[in-house]
Amino acid sequence: MYSITKKIAAGIGTAAAALGCVVAAGPPAAAEGKWCNNSVCIETYDHGTYLGRVEVSVTNTNQPNRIHARVWTTNGWSADTKVEDVAKFRTYRDQAYPQRHFPAGTRLCAEGFRGGSSVGLACVTITE
């Protein structure tokens, strides 16, 4: 019985290690897609290293709030979105327009603010 339990534990450990390798070696994020963190999502619509438009959304709570966001890259581009008063249970959306190519490896980030407080920071690495 001990040897069966030992073999099962070893099998589970091997499977977990293999899964960890798959997750760690997964493909880097391309420019097109949607990434979220807490109440903030950032979505891009372009391929490769070109970013024409970036959409930021911030989910609101059960009370009206003043919401805005800041979008930037690690190589110096940045933009602030408009400030908007949003009703309860609504999602704020706005766009930023970088309209340029960025070097592969550049991080694109968006931080959302609700009532003056940060409510999430979503980032993605731009790849070719």
Side-chain angles (χ1 to χ4, degrees), residues 42 70-74 76-79 107-111 121-123:
I42 186 170
R70 181 171 173 263
V71 185
W72 72 93
T73 64
T74 53
W77 176 86
S78 68
R107 299 279 292 162
L108 169 68
C109 297
E111 183 172 17
L121 174 64
C123 292

Side-chain angles (χ1 to χ4, degrees), residues 34-56:
K34 183 174 184 175
W35 300 269
C36 299
N37 179 284
N38 295 326
S39 296
V40 178
C41 291
I42 186 170
E43 188 166 1
T44 61
Y45 300 92
D46 301 295
H47 303 282
T49 60
Y50 180 80
L51 289 177
R53 176 172 64 118
V54 176
E55 182 177 283
V56 180

